[in-house]
Structure formats: C-alpha cells, structure tokens
Amino acid sequence: MFVKNPEYFLAIVKERSISKAADRLYLSQPYLSQYLAKLEANLGVTLLDRSHTPLRLTAAGELFHAYLERQGYLDRQLESDLQQLQEKKRQQLHIGVSTWRGSTLLPDILPRFAAKYPDVQVVLHEAPVPQLGNLAASSVTDFCLMHTPGNLTDLSYELVMHERILLISHKDHPLVRGLDSPCSAPLPFGDLRQLEHERLMMLPEDWRLSRLLYNTFNVQNVEPVNILTTTNNTTAINLVAENMGFTFLPESGIHRTPYMDRLSFFTVGDPPLTCPMAVVYKKNSFLSPATRAFIALIKDFYRQFDRGSALSDP
C-alpha cells in the first residue's frame, strides 16, 4: 500500500495536534487538515478522535500508525541490507543478552547457527538485565533474551520457557549436609525461614528475578538479614562453591559451572518457583530469516528446561 507523505501523519501523532505538527513541518494548518481529511477518505476510516484535546488515535488510527512505523523500519532495513550487499559486507545480527546468560547459552547455540549461516556476523550486546529492554526498544538489537518485560509500550515478546529458579548451596553446609540433591533431580528445600540469618548472594532488588524472590520471601514471612548484592551470577555461584552462603539461579545456566561436584540444588516453593524467559524485540519490527533461525535454535535448546507455568512472575 502506497501512502503519500507518511511523515505528515506521524508528525500529527507525535505532536497530538494538527497545528503543532504543521509548525514542525513548516506547513499551513489548513493544508495539513486537508491532507488528513483526504487520507481518512481514501482509507475509509477515521484515524483521529477530534473530540479530545490533545488528539487521540482511534482503533483504526492505532493500526495505521503501527503500519507506518513498521513500514519505515522495513524501508531503512532494506536500504541498509542493500548497501551492505553492495559494499560486500556481512549481514549482522545484533543480540542483547546478560553477561551470564550469554556465557551459558551461546557456546551451545552459536556453533550451530554459524554452520547454517556462515555469512551472518553475530554482534553481542551484553548488558545488565534492566537495560536489555531499552536496547530492544531503541532498535540497537534485533532481539534480546531476557525475562518478560514489565513495560510493553514499545516491545513485543515471544515466550521461550518458564524456567525453574533453584536454591544453590555448598554440599558441606550444615543445613544440607548429607542430602543427595543434584541439579538433575533437585529436592524441595522446605522452609525458607532457615535462611534468614544465612548469607544470601542476590541480584539487585529491582531486577526481575530478585523481585520475584523478594515476593516469595514476603509470602513465606522470611526476612533475610545478611544479603550480599551482586550483578554477576558467576560471582554468586563462585562464592557458594567456597561455602560462603546461598544463592538463587535460573536452572538453564547452571550446567556450565565448573563446581557441580561441590554444590547441592533445591527447588523453591510448592509448586516450584519459575520465571518466564522470552525473546524481546521492538514492536512491529521486521525479523530477518537469520534472526528467526537464531530464535528457533534458542527455543529448541531451552525446551529441555521448560517447566510450564506452575508458579511464575505475572
């Protein structure tokens, strides 16, 4: 579908005013009003609710606006891809991921992807979890792998799995000594109040996983008094391996720790606590065949860890 001067409509939506959009575009207000009226007549729908100040999009307007935004992205992507072909540059796939998630996932995924798409250059954007959504929303990445975002204003996501959160301790800790509880078959921990005076290695309070865990503490009337905050899950599990306390980690990344023989693993709650993991990208964005292939590999790999939605963060 060809839309003449789509930037006019986009400016009206951004300014939420025909007069302000006209000033921004260096057009007269009557001319821009005529443009909008002709556009609505051609489409056969009303795009803006003029009974409100500032202007509001109608349902048809929301759909049309999303179409124009996606069309603009596709045009820019096509120009970039054609330019890369002309300059004989490799196609790039930008992936956002936390440092720990990347270190535990990519060794299993990247070799398979590279074998199928040898001409695609993967560019990693490793960032703290709270920043990943911003990378996707600003189109810095093609997609991010992260817990489902709380704000979906500019984002879409595809659920990958509900991942169990495991409590990890050293095998010689007095609370678990003598228990046979490997990662492959973790026992339920029981009463979390036993951990109130133990050292807990936790991610920052505003991170999604910590919010889920602190809610669990509240529900079970647990008030931890010895918390060591870290932004790196590797730091947490390394300290546990030295019998310095307990930590909570997503199940899927644990298999690459070198200290499995020192550690015991436990589920939390009944049913076991899980957290939703998703592929997140900018709303209405175009996902190339290579991007889709990488996402398919991620979903296939994580299928073994999907525990359903027994108890998860909403």
Side-chain angles (χ1 to χ4, degrees):
M1 176 182 179
F2 176 74
V3 179
K4 186 177 181 180
N5 299 121
E7 68 276 12
Y8 291 1
F9 181 76
L10 293 174
I12 294 172
V13 174
K14 184 172 183 178
E15 299 295 338
R16 302 181 71 184
S17 164
I18 295 176
S19 60
K20 290 181 180 179
D23 290 341
R24 176 183 166 191
L25 295 167
Y26 300 103
L27 299 171
S28 69
Q29 181 175 340
Y31 178 85
L32 196 57
S33 295
Q34 291 174 11
Y35 160 83
L36 180 60
K38 180 182 284 189
L39 178 62
E40 290 180 322
N42 289 338
L43 293 173
V45 295
T46 300
L47 299 173
L48 292 169
D49 183 351
R50 294 163 177 77
S51 66
H52 290 87
T53 303
L55 296 175
R56 292 183 184 177
L57 287 168
T58 62
E62 294 274 6
L63 185 63
F64 184 65
H65 181 248
Y67 164 81
L68 289 185
E69 283 199 322
R70 185 171 188 181
Q71 188 62 48
Y73 175 84
L74 289 174
D75 289 344
R76 294 190 298 272
Q77 187 67 46
L78 177 60
E79 291 175 3
S80 175
D81 290 345
L82 290 175
Q83 183 177 0
Q84 288 183 14
L85 284 175
Q86 188 175 15
E87 297 174 357
K88 296 183 179 180
K89 292 182 179 179
R90 298 172 67 189
Q91 179 186 348
Q92 292 186 337
L93 173 57
H94 292 260
I95 300 173
V97 68
S98 69
T99 302
W100 184 74
R101 181 73 61 175
S103 69
T104 59
L105 172 67
L106 292 177
D108 292 297
I109 298 296
L110 194 54
R112 295 167 60 190
F113 178 80
K116 188 173 182 180
Y117 291 88
D119 295 328
V120 176
Q121 179 183 0
V122 174
V123 181
L124 290 181
H125 298 263
E126 295 181 307
V129 173
Q131 297 177 18
L132 292 176
N134 292 333
L135 293 179
S138 58
S139 298
V140 172
T141 60
D142 293 287
F143 70 88
C144 292
L145 183 65
M146 57 186 289
H147 294 144
T148 51
N151 186 349
L152 293 174
T153 303
D154 299 311
L155 299 171
S156 296
Y157 73 89
E158 298 176 25
L159 187 65
V160 173
M161 64 169 170
H162 286 86
E163 182 176 26
R164 277 192 311 199
I165 305 305
L166 299 183
L167 171 66
I168 307 174
S169 72
H170 195 283
K171 285 183 176 180
D172 289 337
H173 193 282
L175 288 179
V176 303
R177 188 180 296 135
L179 296 177
D180 183 18
S181 191
C183 188
S184 58
L187 299 172
F189 183 75
D191 190 352
L192 289 179
R193 284 176 293 183
Q194 297 178 82
L195 302 178
E196 283 190 325
H197 295 281
E198 301 293 336
R199 182 185 292 108
L200 301 181
M201 273 64 75
M202 301 280 293
L203 296 173
E205 287 190 36
D206 60 335
W207 289 28
R208 190 67 178 272
L209 177 57
S210 286
R211 293 204 307 268
L212 175 59
L213 288 167
Y214 280 110
N215 179 70
T216 301
F217 293 157
N218 290 334
V219 170
Q220 298 193 20
N221 297 314
V222 179
E223 298 183 7
V225 297
N226 188 359
I227 293 178
L228 174 62
T229 302
T230 176
T231 60
N232 192 328
N233 284 328
T234 301
T235 299
I237 200 167
N238 285 351
L239 288 172
V240 174
E242 297 301 324
N243 208 358
M244 292 297 295
F246 295 77
T247 195
F248 300 85
L249 292 183
E251 179 181 15
S252 66
I254 296 171
H255 70 289
R256 286 198 169 269
T257 181
Y259 307 116
M260 298 293 282
D261 59 331
R262 303 185 194 177
L263 304 174
S264 292
F265 306 86
F266 302 89
T267 59
V268 178
D270 183 21
L273 187 66
T274 65
C275 192
M277 177 63 59
V279 168
V280 179
Y281 44 81
K282 184 176 176 62
K283 189 176 291 184
N284 300 314
S285 64
F286 169 72
L287 301 181
S288 68
T291 303
R292 275 288 171 203
F294 205 103
I295 291 174
L297 288 173
I298 289 174
K299 290 181 176 179
D300 181 64
F301 175 77
Y302 277 139
R303 193 169 291 117
Q304 63 185 304
F305 299 106
D306 189 8
R307 306 299 175 180
S309 56
L311 181 60
S312 59
D313 197 13

